[in-house]
Amino acid sequence: MAGALTDVLGEVLVAADGEEVAVSALAARGVSLLKLWNKYRVSNIPSLIFIDASTGKVVCRNGLLVIRDDPEGLEFPWGPKPFSEVVAGPLLRNNGQTLDSSALEGSHIGVYFSAHWCPPCRSLTRVLVESYRKIKEAGQKFEILFVSADRSEDSFKQYFSEMPWVAVPYADEARRSRLNRLYGIQGIPTLIVLDSKGDVITRQGRVEVLNDIECREFPWHPKPVLELTDSNAVQLNEGPCLVLFVDSEDDGESEAAKQLIQPIAEKIIAKYKAKEEEAPLLFFVAGEDDMTDSLRDYTNLPEAAPLLTILDMSARAKYVMDVEEITPEIVEAFVSDFLADKLKPEPI
């Protein structure tokens, strides 16, 4: 583990008091690299995350952009700013008209990070155009802000011509970069949904749009427990996930499983929200379909149902509770033991 830590963190760290601490010493004290990856939801490398040492809270997820944009450290300590401040300035419509960002005030906003060169982006854009139309026709105050990751202004213009919403001007690279930094964007397409005050409702707008074609659940407040589907399975890669596999041929089994898990999920989410931290687990119920079969095959899980698991894809680890009956007490003990590092992982 010391070697892996050294590869990522270097030979030494400097403590708050200025003392140099060898990475190997940290490893010897039980510091887990994989825990750091999961805690800060790192999905690709290189990644640089700035943390307030006194509180442990994340200051900025996109440290690499900070270094590029502010090499002199003039904006240090690079803490998050309100959306209204970061987005301030002129915005474009695809007919060439401009409007001030203040026009967004009072609306729910989808901040859409996307690019024409990205096939999944183009697929999502086609769905999102229809969702945008339905939401507006229903009388909801909703706007989408396109933040381009295109490689040229011509590509931006071609792509933006398909969009009925507003965009940050392509030439305003600084503002586009600041928005990427604000939300710690690590990949595209990403759709961040904000409330009318500019606070984040969900970072999973892409999943919500694809799962709710009729937009009945707009503005897509997060659910404590999700039913695992093709469109939201990508979230399995974002950190440890509790997945309860059930026999979906039994009427009501999936819904009953959700109701069983939900109080525990809500308790965990509320606990970490109070600390202004992301919950360390996502919660899913999985029925029987081709996607679930593929997941079982990939993770080498038994065919039993019900089957209670925690899957940690980034660590290539799984934790399995194979019992005849899943009760709230069993789920709560399983989760508590996982969070306390009392469970022994099996390899995926």
Side-chain angles (χ1 to χ4, degrees), residues 153-170:
E153 185 148 13
D154 287 343
S155 293
F156 162 76
K157 289 178 179 178
Q158 179 184 350
Y159 193 29
F160 186 40
S161 70
E162 305 168 12
M163 302 177 183
W165 43 74
V166 299
V168 176
Y170 184 81

Side-chain angles (χ1 to χ4, degrees), residues 128-144:
L128 191 54
V129 166
E130 288 303 308
S131 298
Y132 178 79
R133 179 183 59 79
K134 290 173 183 176
I135 293 167
K136 299 284 275 188
E137 287 179 353
Q140 299 271 15
K141 295 191 72 174
F142 180 53
E143 193 53 75
I144 295 177

Side-chain angles (χ1 to χ4, degrees), residues 205-219:
R206 173 189 183 184
V207 171
E208 298 293 352
V209 165
L210 294 176
N211 277 346
D212 184 25
I213 297 299
E214 297 303 319
C215 306
R216 293 190 177 97
E217 298 181 7
F218 175 82

Side-chain angles (χ1 to χ4, degrees), residues 230-245:
D230 287 327
S231 58
N232 66 24
V234 66
Q235 292 178 259
L236 293 175
N237 295 311
E238 295 185 2
C241 299
L242 182 142
V243 184
L244 175 54
F245 293 87

